[in-house]
Amino acid sequence: MSTLLMGAGAVVAQQKAPSYPLVTHHPYFSIWSSTDTIMNSSTRHWTGTAQPITGVVTVDGVPYTVLGSVPDTYEELLTTAGAVKYLTDAPSGDWTSPQYNDQQWKKGTMPFSDNPAAGETGWKSQDLFVRRTFDLAQVASDSLYLKLHHDDNIVVHLNGKEIFSRKGWNGRDEYFPIALDPHLLKQKNNLLAIHVENTAGGAYLSAGLAKKVKPAAGAAHKAIQESVEVHATQTVYQFKCGPVHMEMAFISPLLMDDLMLLSRPVTYLACHALAEDDQAHEVRVQVGVSTAVCVNNAGQPVEASQYNSGDLTILKAGTKEQPVLQKKGDDIRIDWGYMYVATSKGPGVKQWIVDNADKTKTLVTEAAIGKVGKGITAMPARVFLLGYDDLYAVEYFGKRLKAWWKNDATATMDRELKSAMQDYRKILGRCLQFDEALQKEAAAAGGREYARLCELAYRQAIAAHTLVRGPKGELLFLSKENFSNGCINTVDITYPSAPMFLLYNPDLLKGMMTGIFEYSESGRFPKPFAAHDLGTYPIASGQVYGEDMPVEESGNMLILTGAIAKAEGNANYAKAHWKTLTTWAEYLLKAGFDPENQLCTDDFAGHLAHNTNLSLKAIAGIRSYAMLAEMLGYKAEAKRYSDSAQSMAANWMKLAADADHYRLAFDKPGSWSQKYNLVWDRVLGFNLFPKSLYEQEVSWYLKQQQAFGLPLDSRKTYTKSDWIIWTATLASSTDEFKELVDPLYKYITETVTRVPLSDWHETTDGRQVGFQARSVVGGYFMKMLDARYNGGTGSGSGSVIYTYNPHSINH
């Protein structure tokens, strides 16, 4: 395993990932690199929007690019806002011609939106026809770009000629190159004519023209990236910058036994230099961070400043508008609060602010690392801090809540930055210890490739949540359903993510569940089953999903409450919510065994009646309730529910049997599905089903595999990677486990879709189908959880186990 301060002569293999985690704290402060060589692309927010972090190392006056590429910049020729004429009914005649008479058209202002803000025109019809005349101060002679944000289908004409068409929507401003006829664009009396068709959902249009700005001369050389390694809390890059070896590590110290540290939104960028020859060399590092980090869309005005605080020199930036908690949704970035870049003061340390053409700014910090090489015994270093203060993190049933690190009313970002810098060495040591323990335990449980999957999933799973203290002082750890539907605290997102948190801090799993209990117990959700969600991130105001998932969510909540009791050795959490759990258990007794035509967590696959895998969830939920009742001394309830679960399991085996495997649905012979919900029968030691059933199913799955994994079921060839790990955990041998997981590892390392882990992919070609950056990859830790609970290689000789200790938690 690579560590910071490694010798320059060490050889480290290039680790492959779909996208590399750099800054990972919560859904609004989450920055990734989407290329194997970090200098080959701009760093991005998990949604794909560029949030550039750039770095240049100067050795003896020669600059080398080491971090990120500077994204293309554009100069607007025609802004996306302006006066237009429009119709919502199809016009007659050649309405795209500059000579067309549009005197009877309505007058409006672009942008158009179904939810118009100030300066926008409302649009709720199916069609929108827009004519915009304009003059130009200058005519682009070499390249023309259409700056466009459209929802949905669009066709664009310039001076009577079609220049662009596209199906679907894009959700943000994008630049599209336009092939330019020499005489098409004029200085006077040009016309953009646009037709947009609103096919579903929202409606939006803004359009303008731009040209690309050429990069300045004298750019830096590219460093040679020699390796990158992803560990649980850090991503470490090794570079060759001429005669100097540079190590640069992004460290997000997400240690779950220290909630204040977990919540502190500060990532370290640690830089270390070592000469590769016997000469002395002068080394400087320059880091630039774009204010795209603190805006939702390019063009939002920002303010930036530089100041000193104690031993730190600090750059700070945020939007002028500061619309705190005003936006909610899926493809959304934060545009309130303030970003910070800091380092220790000292000779040769400089900070400044650069204005960019797209209205963003770049916060630049330059610092000397010092001399390296001949006669230098220490390895010089420089640490930069990247932080974000979101002011308020979420709104919870009408009350704005601050991040957990602000539990102390005197907490400030300056103080957090100071503490982060002062404690760097100690925190780094803890991170290295944890990373090594996780890697060793995962490898012991499932092999080296499995350990790689867990290392890559760790920060992603945490960063899809935000940690806050609720109105009653309760711990709330609220997830965002990233690129799925944007919901907050979705139960069937909590369910697959649970294994990782059961391993390292069950309090955080409780923090995902408490809000759902409170929602029912407050009377806001009076139904006899569990809710699906609490709203749309970051606003928790009640379920917004259009359809209940009664068996799915009730089974999830009961199983996870049982798993928490297993982890903690007591049922205290269950006792606090016993009446609600009893209501849900009663519902499962009545409706769980043979589910009606309803959705399960795999809602993208559609409705399905008599779902055998959903039935397994109900059975496990009922058995979990029996276990909890037994732990609480409720003997009669324990026997009733235990007997019911055993009877259901026996009946399930009869009705689901289909020759050499078990069916997708009770009434669908010839079908099959991954029975990932069966894993709890093994992990929680219920033993409702014989080992022969596990073996039969695993044998069947091994025959159904494709190049990039096991399909979800017999209906399609796509899959869910979290469920593959759960299904593989049913295997009776390490070889069978690896045989099921190896194609998943192939997907992770070979997919052409370069986004933070997508848990929904096609098994035939390894491409993303949907979803990305979701917390559900915490489910990859299911094999480790089974090894921890039930022995086997995961807890055998030589492994290092990082054990959850509730008394060590820093609340």
Side-chain angles (χ1 to χ4, degrees), residues 284 306 313 315 343 346-352 364-368 384:
R284 300 183 63 82
Q306 189 280 330
T313 178
L315 289 162
T343 194
V349 176
K350 298 185 292 184
Q351 289 188 311
W352 66 94
V364 184
T365 303
E366 183 176 290
F384 301 89

Side-chain angles (χ1 to χ4, degrees), residues 396-651:
Y396 185 76
F397 294 103
K399 185 175 179 61
R400 289 182 170 183
L401 304 179
K402 295 180 179 180
W404 187 270
W405 66 269
K406 290 188 171 184
N407 285 341
D408 179 350
T410 65
T412 66
M413 199 62 193
D414 283 5
R415 192 174 79 180
E416 293 303 305
L417 292 168
K418 178 181 178 182
S419 296
M421 188 63 81
Q422 288 178 340
D423 296 340
Y424 166 67
R425 288 290 173 188
K426 180 174 67 176
I427 290 171
L428 172 61
R430 292 171 63 189
C431 287
L432 292 171
Q433 180 185 19
F434 175 76
D435 291 352
E436 181 180 11
L438 183 151
Q439 193 277 333
K440 286 187 176 180
E441 186 177 1
R448 181 183 176 188
E449 288 76 18
Y450 172 67
R452 292 283 199 184
L453 297 179
C454 292
E455 289 177 295
L456 185 57
Y458 182 83
R459 272 175 285 166
Q460 175 172 316
I462 295 173
H465 298 80
T466 193
L467 180 63
V468 297
R469 191 182 296 276
K472 296 181 289 188
E474 69 274 38
L475 184 156
L476 298 174
F477 193 49
L478 304 174
S479 64
K480 180 175 182 179
E481 198 171 337
N482 290 342
F483 266 23
S484 179
N485 66 10
C487 279
I488 188 170
N489 208 166
T490 302
V491 176
D492 57 288
I493 295 296
T494 295
Y495 176 70
S497 73
M500 190 178 90
F501 300 99
L502 286 165
L503 277 169
Y504 295 118
N505 188 352
D507 280 350
L508 291 170
L509 179 55
K510 295 177 198 174
M512 301 179 218
M513 299 168 63
T514 295
I516 299 296
F517 280 121
E518 291 181 346
Y519 187 31
S520 286
E521 291 159 3
S522 68
R524 295 186 183 100
F525 191 80
K527 300 178 182 181
F529 45 77
H532 170 272
D533 63 81
L534 292 182
T536 300
Y537 195 94
I539 310 298
S541 56
Q543 180 172 307
V544 294
Y545 196 69
E547 183 175 348
D548 294 320
M549 296 185 189
V551 174
E552 171 70 36
E553 312 303 17
S554 301
N556 291 339
M557 291 294 286
L558 283 159
I559 291 168
L560 295 183
T561 306
I564 288 169
K566 172 86 170 179
E568 296 187 327
N570 65 72
N572 294 341
Y573 187 65
K575 187 174 183 179
H577 303 288
W578 191 249
K579 183 178 179 181
T580 306
L581 290 168
T582 300
T583 299
W584 296 341
E586 287 289 341
Y587 174 82
L588 291 183
L589 275 182
K590 296 173 184 175
F593 175 73
D594 188 12
E596 296 177 345
N597 189 37
Q598 59 184 249
L599 295 172
C600 71
T601 184
D602 305 316
D603 54 355
F604 51 83
H607 294 74
L608 180 66
H610 318 299
N611 184 335
T612 59
N613 193 43
L614 191 56
S615 177
L616 286 171
K617 179 169 290 182
I619 295 169
I622 289 167
R623 183 62 181 84
S624 294
Y625 182 83
M627 177 184 74
L628 294 166
E630 180 72 27
M631 294 174 75
L632 291 171
Y634 305 147
K635 301 296 184 183
E637 291 93 331
K639 185 177 189 310
R640 177 188 171 210
Y641 280 87
S642 180
D643 289 349
S644 295
Q646 288 179 338
S647 174
M648 288 180 177
N651 201 23

